[in-house]
Amino acid sequence: MSGSPFALRNWRVRTRLIALIAIPTIVGVIFGGLRVTDSISSAQQYQLISDVGRLVSQLGELSRDLGLERDLAGRFVAANKRATEGQRLKSQQEIVDASVNRTKAVAAETRDSLSDIGRRTLDRIEVRLAQLGSLRTTYTKDQLPPLPTVETYSEIIADLLQVYDELGQGSTDEQLTSTAAALRTIARAEEEASKQRALLMIALVRGRFEEPEFKGFLDAGSRRESERASFNAVSTPAQRQNFDNTVASQKIGRAEFYISRAVLLHNTATPLRRLDNSTSKDVDLWFDSISETVDRLHQVQKSLAEEVATRSADVASGDRQLAAINIGIVVVLLVLVLAITALMAGSLVRPLRRLRSDALKIAGHTLPDLVRQLRNTDIDPDKLRVPPIEINSKDEIGEVARAFDEVHREAVRLAGEESKLRSNVNAMFVNLSRRSQTLVERQITLIDGLEQGEQDEQRLGNLFKLDHLATRMRRNSENLLVLAGQEPPAPLEPAGPARRRRPRLPVGGRELRARRA
């Protein structure tokens, strides 16, 4: 029984080769596809990070502009809404409105890049920005104290800064993650410095700190120092060097002196006057000095945002290149496997087909023709040319072909020996037949002579019987010639009266008709 066609032993050689090579190839393609998928997914993730970085950069601009509006609004309210302060505040409000419009446009483009928490935060920011007009109306026309005005603005900015937490999520690049963390610390440090600017301006306009304002001023300074320490912990040496080079100037040093001086005067219950003995314009000097700090911190923030954008673009580009390389490797692997499979299958299948074709040809035509030639001629088997199978390889298929050639030659040799044996047997039969025929002919001649001279009917009848037996013996000899492949000899007619028709002779009361056939 051949069994099921799906049984392994019934598979074609080409099918087995394909199965042998296809399994590891498929595994390799699957793993290559997974790497390509991971690279593409990573590139998409870093593209999302780049989009979030663009949104964060715009939110940083809005936070700075909105912080300045907050600080000017606090000064405006503390100064009893003087017209000069109001004009400056109005100009800043126009800048904020333009920044809000830009932020909304960027948010609409990058909204899908945020997580669910980020989108909810963005929704809350849009609501707060929509309420910005009512806030301005409230502190402009109503009697809203300076500190609540500052705190309301600070709540909006705090929501803006929450979006910074979205930056770097899903990243596996340590440099990008640390830079995003450094960016968050600088943004919050900038916000705390801006708060200090607002609270100390309110105190300088009034001439003293209210206790909640002083507490908020100290808390802002403490959080600012904490953010600076966090920045030093997560930033690189190059980023720390850039910070030290940027956030350093005479005005920044003067602002730090004013902070220490204000705390000292408040703790000694001294009115906040003459922070700097060289001038009486404490408010303007403080605003100018601390604004330098805020601007320099914002400059550091922008440089970090640019680093995030550059790094995310580089990593995304690298992942896309890696995906392209992996795709190329997979394609080359497939082409190489197909080429090797075709080459190996051809190197096996073609000799096997040649072996099968030549074997069938030998079995059906070549060998029978050689056997027939050996039977019909007296040619020596050793002189017959046995054509070999045209496979010259030294592998197992070539060895099978050579073994089949040996079988072919052995079959021809055996056929030659059989032909020789048959020829010898035929010659023996011919020799025996010729010798028997000679003796029988002599015997018949002798019997004929005896018949002609015999007058006794009984003896003559026995001689006739003997003649009949001799005739049958002659026929047996002729049959041996036929078995030996010889033509039987033509019957010989007698020259004299010995072959005449014998008369009817009575034998034992009956007539005996004897005739030699």
Side-chain angles (χ1 to χ4, degrees):
M1 295 180 61
S2 61
S4 171
F6 298 102
L8 184 60
R9 64 177 180 274
N10 294 327
W11 288 17
R12 308 288 290 181
V13 174
R14 185 185 297 274
T15 304
R16 296 183 187 184
L17 280 175
I18 292 175
L20 179 65
I21 300 177
I23 293 176
T25 301
I26 291 173
V27 173
V29 169
I30 290 174
F31 280 108
L34 291 177
R35 291 198 61 181
V36 170
T37 302
D38 290 341
S39 298
I40 294 176
S41 177
S42 178
Q44 292 175 346
Q45 180 63 37
Y46 283 106
Q47 183 60 47
L48 295 179
I49 292 175
S50 179
D51 294 339
V52 175
R54 187 157 60 94
L55 175 61
V56 165
S57 297
Q58 181 56 41
L59 291 176
E61 297 296 326
L62 178 59
S63 298
R64 184 190 64 171
D65 296 336
L66 197 58
L68 182 55
E69 180 182 342
R70 172 194 58 195
D71 301 344
L72 294 177
R75 180 175 179 177
F76 171 73
V77 174
N80 296 321
K81 305 175 184 178
R82 287 200 302 263
T84 55
E85 302 296 341
Q87 185 63 35
R88 190 172 185 180
L89 176 60
K90 185 177 180 179
S91 299
Q92 183 60 30
Q93 289 174 349
E94 293 176 354
I95 295 175
V96 170
D97 291 339
S99 182
V100 168
N101 292 332
R102 290 192 297 270
T103 301
K104 289 181 178 180
V106 175
E109 295 174 357
T110 59
R111 183 182 184 86
D112 294 336
S113 302
L114 298 173
S115 65
D116 293 338
I117 297 176
R119 284 192 287 270
R120 286 195 294 270
T121 303
L122 198 60
D123 293 337
R124 188 167 60 251
I125 290 172
E126 291 178 353
V127 172
R128 288 188 178 276
L129 292 178
Q131 296 172 350
L132 191 58
S134 61
L135 172 62
R136 292 167 177 171
T137 301
T138 300
Y139 68 74
T140 300
K141 296 183 178 180
D142 299 336
Q143 296 299 320
L144 185 66
L147 184 59
T149 300
V150 171
E151 290 177 346
T152 304
Y153 274 101
S154 297
E155 291 175 359
I156 300 175
I157 297 175
D159 287 337
L160 296 177
L161 294 179
Q162 283 187 5
V163 182
Y164 280 67
D165 296 334
E166 295 285 312
L167 188 61
Q169 287 190 3
S171 172
T172 57
D173 186 76
E174 294 183 359
Q175 180 179 346
L176 181 59
T177 303
S178 63
T179 303
L183 176 60
R184 287 192 290 271
T185 60
I186 292 300
R188 292 189 176 97
E190 179 185 343
E191 165 62 8
E192 298 305 326
S194 180
K195 284 182 183 179
Q196 286 184 309
R197 178 174 60 185
L199 294 174
L200 187 52
M201 276 200 304
I202 294 172
L204 289 174
V205 170
R206 187 187 298 120
R208 58 184 174 79
F209 268 120
E210 298 289 343
E211 195 59 36
E213 296 170 354
F214 183 70
K215 183 176 181 302
F217 182 77
L218 293 180
D219 290 342
S222 177
R223 287 192 293 269
R224 178 183 165 193
E225 293 300 323
S226 176
E227 296 297 341
R228 172 64 190 278
S230 298
F231 171 80
N232 290 334
V234 299
S235 60
T236 63
Q239 291 168 350
R240 289 193 293 271
Q241 185 63 43
N242 179 58
F243 180 91
D244 294 337
N245 294 336
T246 303
V247 190
S249 67
Q250 184 178 2
K251 289 184 177 180
I252 292 174
R254 185 186 299 127
E256 298 302 318
F257 169 75
Y258 288 162
I259 291 172
S260 302
R261 179 72 173 170
V263 172
L264 177 63
L265 292 176
H266 176 78
N267 290 335
T268 58
T270 304
L272 294 180
R273 293 287 186 271
R274 305 299 295 272
L275 292 178
D276 190 342
N277 294 326
S278 62
T279 180
S280 60
K281 297 181 179 181
D282 293 337
V283 178
D284 293 334
L285 283 176
W286 162 248
F287 179 83
D288 185 53
S289 299
I290 195 61
S291 294
E292 177 76 7
T293 302
V294 172
D295 292 341
R296 293 295 183 91
L297 288 172
H298 187 72
Q299 185 176 343
V300 174
Q301 181 186 169
K302 288 177 65 176
S303 66
L304 292 174
E306 290 175 358
E307 287 187 30
V308 170
T310 302
R311 182 61 182 174
S312 59
D314 291 343
V315 175
S317 177
D319 286 336
R320 283 191 290 268
Q321 291 179 358
L322 182 60
I325 293 173
N326 288 330
I327 291 174
I329 291 175
V330 170
V331 171
V332 171
L333 175 64
L334 287 176
V335 172
L336 185 61
V337 167
L338 290 176
I340 293 176
T341 303
L343 181 62
M344 297 301 294
S347 66
L348 287 176
V349 173
R350 281 194 298 270
L352 286 175
R353 287 180 176 174
R354 174 64 63 83
L355 178 61
R356 175 180 176 273
S357 176
D358 289 354
L360 292 176
K361 182 179 178 181
I362 290 171
H365 300 284
T366 306
L367 185 58
D369 292 343
L370 289 175
V371 172
R372 192 179 302 111
Q373 185 178 358
L374 288 172
R375 287 179 178 178
N376 297 332
T377 61
D378 294 333
I379 190 172
D380 187 0
D382 295 333
K383 296 181 179 179
L384 287 177
R385 180 181 178 275
V386 179
I389 297 177
E390 297 180 359
I391 297 177
N392 300 320
S393 61
K394 297 183 179 180
D395 57 359
E396 288 81 355
I397 299 176
E399 292 175 356
V400 171
R402 301 290 77 78
F404 196 85
D405 290 340
E406 291 296 328
V407 172
H408 188 190
R409 282 190 288 269
E410 185 66 17
V412 172
R413 186 185 66 80
L414 292 176
E417 291 181 357
E418 184 214 357
S419 178
K420 288 181 180 180
L421 179 61
R422 183 183 296 273
S423 178
N424 293 334
V425 171
N426 290 341
M428 182 179 63
F429 283 171
V430 170
N431 187 28
L432 289 176
S433 176
R434 297 298 185 190
R435 293 175 65 183
S436 297
Q437 277 186 328
T438 302
L439 294 175
V440 169
E441 290 296 336
R442 291 173 63 188
Q443 183 180 5
I444 291 175
T445 303
L446 180 60
I447 292 172
D448 285 342
L450 292 175
E451 286 178 349
Q452 293 179 8
E454 183 62 49
Q455 298 297 323
D456 190 343
E457 292 184 359
Q458 186 176 0
R459 290 181 179 177
L460 184 59
N462 290 332
L463 288 173
F464 284 158
K465 291 180 180 180
L466 187 60
D467 182 83
H468 179 69
L469 292 175
T471 302
R472 291 180 62 185
M473 291 176 64
R474 185 178 65 181
R475 289 180 178 175
N476 287 337
S477 297
E478 292 174 355
N479 290 337
L480 286 177
L481 288 176
V482 174
L483 289 176
Q486 300 290 326
E487 292 292 333
L492 299 176
E493 292 295 333
R499 308 311 300 170
R500 72 186 188 300
R501 184 179 179 86
R502 291 177 176 80
R504 296 176 183 176
L505 298 175
V507 179
R510 295 180 299 169
E511 291 185 356
L512 176 63
R513 184 188 301 273
R515 177 183 299 177
R516 185 167 62 242

Short mmCIF file of all heavy atoms in Angstrom, two decimals, residues 148-194:
data_model
loop_
_atom_site.label_atom_id
_atom_site.label_comp_id
_atom_site.label_asym_id
_atom_site.label_seq_id
_atom_site.Cartn_x
_atom_site.Cartn_y
_atom_site.Cartn_z
N PRO A 148 -5.84 87.45 45.41
CA PRO A 148 -6.74 86.57 44.67
C PRO A 148 -6.59 86.71 43.16
O PRO A 148 -6.75 85.73 42.42
CB PRO A 148 -8.13 87.01 45.14
CG PRO A 148 -7.90 87.57 46.49
CD PRO A 148 -6.57 88.26 46.40
N THR A 149 -6.30 87.95 42.72
CA THR A 149 -6.08 88.13 41.27
C THR A 149 -4.89 87.30 40.81
O THR A 149 -4.95 86.59 39.78
CB THR A 149 -5.85 89.61 40.97
OG1 THR A 149 -7.00 90.37 41.38
CG2 THR A 149 -5.60 89.83 39.49
N VAL A 150 -3.79 87.39 41.57
CA VAL A 150 -2.59 86.63 41.21
C VAL A 150 -2.87 85.12 41.29
O VAL A 150 -2.45 84.35 40.42
CB VAL A 150 -1.43 87.02 42.14
CG1 VAL A 150 -0.24 86.09 41.95
CG2 VAL A 150 -1.02 88.46 41.90
N GLU A 151 -3.57 84.68 42.30
CA GLU A 151 -3.83 83.25 42.47
C GLU A 151 -4.73 82.71 41.36
O GLU A 151 -4.54 81.56 40.92
CB GLU A 151 -4.48 83.02 43.84
CG GLU A 151 -3.52 83.24 45.00
CD GLU A 151 -4.20 83.07 46.35
OE1 GLU A 151 -5.46 83.06 46.37
OE2 GLU A 151 -3.50 82.94 47.36
N THR A 152 -5.67 83.51 40.87
CA THR A 152 -6.53 83.04 39.78
C THR A 152 -5.70 82.82 38.51
O THR A 152 -5.87 81.81 37.79
CB THR A 152 -7.65 84.06 39.52
OG1 THR A 152 -8.38 84.28 40.73
CG2 THR A 152 -8.60 83.53 38.45
N TYR A 153 -4.85 83.78 38.22
CA TYR A 153 -3.95 83.59 37.07
C TYR A 153 -3.04 82.36 37.28
O TYR A 153 -2.77 81.60 36.33
CB TYR A 153 -3.08 84.82 36.86
CG TYR A 153 -3.71 85.89 36.02
CD1 TYR A 153 -4.28 87.02 36.60
CD2 TYR A 153 -3.72 85.81 34.63
CE1 TYR A 153 -4.85 88.03 35.83
CE2 TYR A 153 -4.28 86.80 33.85
CZ TYR A 153 -4.85 87.90 34.45
OH TYR A 153 -5.42 88.89 33.68
N SER A 154 -2.57 82.18 38.50
CA SER A 154 -1.66 81.07 38.78
C SER A 154 -2.34 79.72 38.57
O SER A 154 -1.70 78.74 38.16
CB SER A 154 -1.14 81.17 40.22
OG SER A 154 -0.39 82.36 40.41
N GLU A 155 -3.64 79.65 38.84
CA GLU A 155 -4.37 78.40 38.60
C GLU A 155 -4.40 78.05 37.10
O GLU A 155 -4.26 76.89 36.72
CB GLU A 155 -5.79 78.52 39.15
CG GLU A 155 -5.84 78.57 40.68
CD GLU A 155 -7.25 78.81 41.18
OE1 GLU A 155 -8.18 78.94 40.33
OE2 GLU A 155 -7.46 78.85 42.41
N ILE A 156 -4.57 79.09 36.28
CA ILE A 156 -4.56 78.85 34.83
C ILE A 156 -3.19 78.36 34.38
O ILE A 156 -3.06 77.40 33.60
CB ILE A 156 -4.95 80.13 34.07
CG1 ILE A 156 -6.35 80.60 34.49
CG2 ILE A 156 -4.89 79.91 32.57
CD1 ILE A 156 -6.75 81.93 33.87
N ILE A 157 -2.14 79.03 34.88
CA ILE A 157 -0.78 78.65 34.48
C ILE A 157 -0.44 77.25 35.00
O ILE A 157 0.27 76.47 34.33
CB ILE A 157 0.22 79.70 35.00
CG1 ILE A 157 -0.06 81.06 34.35
CG2 ILE A 157 1.66 79.26 34.72
CD1 ILE A 157 0.78 82.19 34.88
N ALA A 158 -0.95 76.91 36.20
CA ALA A 158 -0.70 75.57 36.73
C ALA A 158 -1.28 74.50 35.81
O ALA A 158 -0.67 73.43 35.59
CB ALA A 158 -1.28 75.45 38.13
N ASP A 159 -2.47 74.77 35.25
CA ASP A 159 -3.04 73.82 34.28
C ASP A 159 -2.19 73.73 33.02
O ASP A 159 -2.02 72.65 32.43
CB ASP A 159 -4.47 74.24 33.92
CG ASP A 159 -5.44 73.97 35.05
OD1 ASP A 159 -5.15 73.10 35.89
OD2 ASP A 159 -6.51 74.62 35.10
N LEU A 160 -1.64 74.87 32.60
CA LEU A 160 -0.77 74.85 31.43
C LEU A 160 0.47 73.98 31.68
O LEU A 160 0.90 73.21 30.80
CB LEU A 160 -0.33 76.27 31.06
CG LEU A 160 -1.42 77.25 30.61
CD1 LEU A 160 -0.82 78.62 30.35
CD2 LEU A 160 -2.12 76.74 29.36
N LEU A 161 1.02 74.09 32.88
CA LEU A 161 2.23 73.34 33.19
C LEU A 161 1.97 71.85 33.35
O LEU A 161 2.91 71.04 33.25
CB LEU A 161 2.87 73.90 34.46
CG LEU A 161 3.41 75.34 34.37
CD1 LEU A 161 4.01 75.79 35.69
CD2 LEU A 161 4.44 75.46 33.25
N GLN A 162 0.71 71.47 33.62
CA GLN A 162 0.41 70.04 33.74
C GLN A 162 0.62 69.29 32.42
O GLN A 162 0.92 68.10 32.41
CB GLN A 162 -1.03 69.84 34.22
CG GLN A 162 -1.21 70.09 35.71
CD GLN A 162 -2.60 69.72 36.18
OE1 GLN A 162 -3.40 69.19 35.41
NE2 GLN A 162 -2.89 70.01 37.44
N VAL A 163 0.44 70.01 31.31
CA VAL A 163 0.63 69.37 30.01
C VAL A 163 2.10 68.97 29.82
O VAL A 163 2.41 68.04 29.06
CB VAL A 163 0.16 70.31 28.88
CG1 VAL A 163 0.31 69.66 27.51
CG2 VAL A 163 -1.29 70.71 29.10
N TYR A 164 3.01 69.63 30.54
CA TYR A 164 4.43 69.28 30.43
C TYR A 164 4.67 67.83 30.84
O TYR A 164 5.65 67.21 30.40
CB TYR A 164 5.27 70.22 31.31
CG TYR A 164 5.56 71.56 30.70
CD1 TYR A 164 4.54 72.47 30.49
CD2 TYR A 164 6.84 71.93 30.33
CE1 TYR A 164 4.79 73.72 29.93
CE2 TYR A 164 7.11 73.16 29.78
CZ TYR A 164 6.07 74.06 29.57
OH TYR A 164 6.33 75.29 29.02
N ASP A 165 3.79 67.30 31.73
CA ASP A 165 3.96 65.91 32.16
C ASP A 165 3.74 64.92 31.03
O ASP A 165 4.16 63.76 31.12
CB ASP A 165 2.99 65.60 33.31
CG ASP A 165 3.30 66.43 34.55
OD1 ASP A 165 4.47 66.84 34.71
OD2 ASP A 165 2.38 66.68 35.34
N GLU A 166 3.06 65.36 29.95
CA GLU A 166 2.82 64.48 28.80
C GLU A 166 4.08 64.29 27.96
O GLU A 166 4.19 63.32 27.21
CB GLU A 166 1.71 65.07 27.90
CG GLU A 166 0.35 65.13 28.54
CD GLU A 166 -0.29 63.75 28.61
OE1 GLU A 166 -0.28 63.04 27.59
OE2 GLU A 166 -0.76 63.38 29.70
N LEU A 167 5.01 65.24 28.11
CA LEU A 167 6.20 65.20 27.27
C LEU A 167 7.12 64.06 27.70
O LEU A 167 7.46 63.93 28.88
CB LEU A 167 6.96 66.53 27.36
CG LEU A 167 8.14 66.71 26.41
CD1 LEU A 167 7.66 66.63 24.98
CD2 LEU A 167 8.83 68.05 26.67
N GLY A 168 7.50 63.24 26.75
CA GLY A 168 8.42 62.13 27.02
C GLY A 168 7.75 60.84 27.43
O GLY A 168 8.44 59.83 27.63
N GLN A 169 6.41 60.82 27.54
CA GLN A 169 5.73 59.58 27.89
C GLN A 169 5.85 58.57 26.76
O GLN A 169 5.63 58.90 25.60
CB GLN A 169 4.25 59.85 28.20
CG GLN A 169 4.02 60.54 29.54
CD GLN A 169 2.55 60.57 29.91
OE1 GLN A 169 1.71 60.03 29.21
NE2 GLN A 169 2.24 61.21 31.03
N GLY A 170 6.15 57.32 27.10
CA GLY A 170 6.30 56.27 26.10
C GLY A 170 7.68 56.23 25.47
O GLY A 170 7.93 55.40 24.60
N SER A 171 8.59 57.10 25.92
CA SER A 171 9.93 57.12 25.35
C SER A 171 10.83 56.14 26.08
O SER A 171 10.78 56.02 27.31
CB SER A 171 10.51 58.54 25.43
OG SER A 171 11.88 58.54 25.06
N THR A 172 11.66 55.45 25.32
CA THR A 172 12.66 54.55 25.91
C THR A 172 14.07 55.14 25.78
O THR A 172 15.04 54.47 26.16
CB THR A 172 12.62 53.18 25.21
OG1 THR A 172 12.83 53.37 23.81
CG2 THR A 172 11.27 52.51 25.42
N ASP A 173 14.15 56.36 25.27
CA ASP A 173 15.44 57.01 25.11
C ASP A 173 15.75 57.81 26.37
O ASP A 173 15.01 58.73 26.74
CB ASP A 173 15.40 57.94 23.89
CG ASP A 173 16.76 58.54 23.59
OD1 ASP A 173 17.62 57.82 23.06
OD2 ASP A 173 16.95 59.73 23.91
N GLU A 174 16.82 57.44 27.05
CA GLU A 174 17.15 58.07 28.33
C GLU A 174 17.45 59.56 28.16
O GLU A 174 17.06 60.38 29.00
CB GLU A 174 18.33 57.36 28.97
CG GLU A 174 18.03 55.92 29.38
CD GLU A 174 19.21 55.27 30.07
OE1 GLU A 174 20.26 55.95 30.21
OE2 GLU A 174 19.09 54.10 30.48
N GLN A 175 18.14 59.90 27.10
CA GLN A 175 18.49 61.31 26.89
C GLN A 175 17.23 62.15 26.70
O GLN A 175 17.11 63.24 27.28
CB GLN A 175 19.40 61.45 25.67
CG GLN A 175 19.81 62.88 25.37
CD GLN A 175 20.73 62.98 24.17
OE1 GLN A 175 21.26 61.97 23.70
NE2 GLN A 175 20.92 64.18 23.65
N LEU A 176 16.29 61.65 25.93
CA LEU A 176 15.05 62.38 25.71
C LEU A 176 14.24 62.48 26.99
O LEU A 176 13.67 63.54 27.31
CB LEU A 176 14.23 61.69 24.61
CG LEU A 176 12.91 62.36 24.24
CD1 LEU A 176 13.13 63.77 23.76
CD2 LEU A 176 12.20 61.54 23.17
N THR A 177 14.20 61.40 27.75
CA THR A 177 13.43 61.40 29.00
C THR A 177 14.02 62.38 30.00
O THR A 177 13.29 63.15 30.65
CB THR A 177 13.41 59.98 29.59
OG1 THR A 177 12.86 59.07 28.64
CG2 THR A 177 12.58 59.94 30.86
N SER A 178 15.34 62.38 30.14
CA SER A 178 15.97 63.29 31.10
C SER A 178 15.82 64.74 30.65
O SER A 178 15.60 65.64 31.49
CB SER A 178 17.45 62.93 31.26
OG SER A 178 18.14 63.11 30.03
N THR A 179 15.91 65.01 29.35
CA THR A 179 15.75 66.38 28.87
C THR A 179 14.32 66.87 29.09
O THR A 179 14.11 68.04 29.46
CB THR A 179 16.09 66.44 27.37
OG1 THR A 179 17.42 65.96 27.17
CG2 THR A 179 15.99 67.88 26.86
N ALA A 180 13.33 65.98 28.88
CA ALA A 180 11.94 66.36 29.14
C ALA A 180 11.74 66.67 30.62
O ALA A 180 11.04 67.63 30.98
CB ALA A 180 11.00 65.25 28.69
N ALA A 181 12.36 65.87 31.50
CA ALA A 181 12.24 66.14 32.94
C ALA A 181 12.91 67.46 33.30
O ALA A 181 12.39 68.25 34.11
CB ALA A 181 12.87 64.99 33.73
N ALA A 182 14.09 67.73 32.70
CA ALA A 182 14.76 69.01 32.96
C ALA A 182 13.90 70.18 32.47
O ALA A 182 13.84 71.25 33.12
CB ALA A 182 16.11 69.02 32.27
N LEU A 183 13.25 70.01 31.34
CA LEU A 183 12.38 71.06 30.81
C LEU A 183 11.24 71.36 31.77
O LEU A 183 10.89 72.54 32.00
CB LEU A 183 11.83 70.62 29.45
CG LEU A 183 10.82 71.56 28.78
CD1 LEU A 183 11.42 72.93 28.53
CD2 LEU A 183 10.32 70.94 27.48
N ARG A 184 10.66 70.32 32.37
CA ARG A 184 9.57 70.55 33.33
C ARG A 184 10.05 71.33 34.55
O ARG A 184 9.35 72.24 35.04
CB ARG A 184 8.98 69.20 33.76
CG ARG A 184 8.15 68.52 32.70
CD ARG A 184 7.37 67.36 33.28
NE ARG A 184 8.25 66.26 33.66
CZ ARG A 184 8.60 65.27 32.84
NH1 ARG A 184 8.16 65.26 31.59
NH2 ARG A 184 9.39 64.30 33.24
N THR A 185 11.23 70.98 35.04
CA THR A 185 11.73 71.68 36.23
C THR A 185 12.01 73.15 35.93
O THR A 185 11.71 74.04 36.76
CB THR A 185 13.01 71.00 36.74
OG1 THR A 185 14.02 71.03 35.72
CG2 THR A 185 12.74 69.55 37.11
N ILE A 186 12.56 73.45 34.75
CA ILE A 186 12.86 74.85 34.41
C ILE A 186 11.56 75.64 34.22
O ILE A 186 11.46 76.81 34.61
CB ILE A 186 13.73 74.89 33.14
CG1 ILE A 186 15.12 74.33 33.44
CG2 ILE A 186 13.84 76.33 32.63
CD1 ILE A 186 15.88 75.10 34.52
N ALA A 187 10.54 75.00 33.59
CA ALA A 187 9.27 75.69 33.40
C ALA A 187 8.64 76.05 34.75
O ALA A 187 8.11 77.17 34.93
CB ALA A 187 8.33 74.82 32.58
N ARG A 188 8.70 75.15 35.68
CA ARG A 188 8.12 75.42 37.00
C ARG A 188 8.97 76.43 37.77
O ARG A 188 8.43 77.28 38.51
CB ARG A 188 7.99 74.12 37.78
CG ARG A 188 6.95 73.18 37.18
CD ARG A 188 6.67 72.00 38.10
NE ARG A 188 5.62 71.17 37.55
CZ ARG A 188 5.79 70.06 36.83
NH1 ARG A 188 7.04 69.64 36.60
NH2 ARG A 188 4.77 69.38 36.38
N ALA A 189 10.30 76.35 37.61
CA ALA A 189 11.15 77.36 38.26
C ALA A 189 10.87 78.74 37.70
O ALA A 189 10.84 79.74 38.45
CB ALA A 189 12.62 76.98 38.07
N GLU A 190 10.65 78.83 36.40
CA GLU A 190 10.30 80.11 35.78
C GLU A 190 8.98 80.64 36.33
O GLU A 190 8.86 81.85 36.63
CB GLU A 190 10.19 79.93 34.27
CG GLU A 190 9.80 81.21 33.53
CD GLU A 190 9.58 80.96 32.05
OE1 GLU A 190 10.04 79.91 31.54
OE2 GLU A 190 8.95 81.82 31.39
N GLU A 191 8.02 79.76 36.50
CA GLU A 191 6.72 80.18 37.05
C GLU A 191 6.87 80.67 38.49
O GLU A 191 6.27 81.69 38.89
CB GLU A 191 5.74 79.01 36.97
CG GLU A 191 4.47 79.16 37.81
CD GLU A 191 3.62 80.35 37.40
OE1 GLU A 191 3.90 81.00 36.38
OE2 GLU A 191 2.66 80.65 38.13
N GLU A 192 7.70 80.00 39.29
CA GLU A 192 7.88 80.44 40.68
C GLU A 192 8.59 81.78 40.74
O GLU A 192 8.27 82.64 41.58
CB GLU A 192 8.67 79.38 41.46
CG GLU A 192 7.99 78.02 41.56
CD GLU A 192 6.60 78.09 42.14
OE1 GLU A 192 6.36 78.95 43.01
OE2 GLU A 192 5.73 77.29 41.73
N ALA A 193 9.56 81.99 39.84
CA ALA A 193 10.22 83.30 39.79
C ALA A 193 9.23 84.38 39.40
O ALA A 193 9.26 85.51 39.93
CB ALA A 193 11.39 83.25 38.81
N SER A 194 8.32 84.06 38.47
CA SER A 194 7.30 85.04 38.07
C SER A 194 6.36 85.34 39.22
O SER A 194 5.93 86.48 39.41
CB SER A 194 6.53 84.50 36.86
OG SER A 194 5.56 85.42 36.45
#
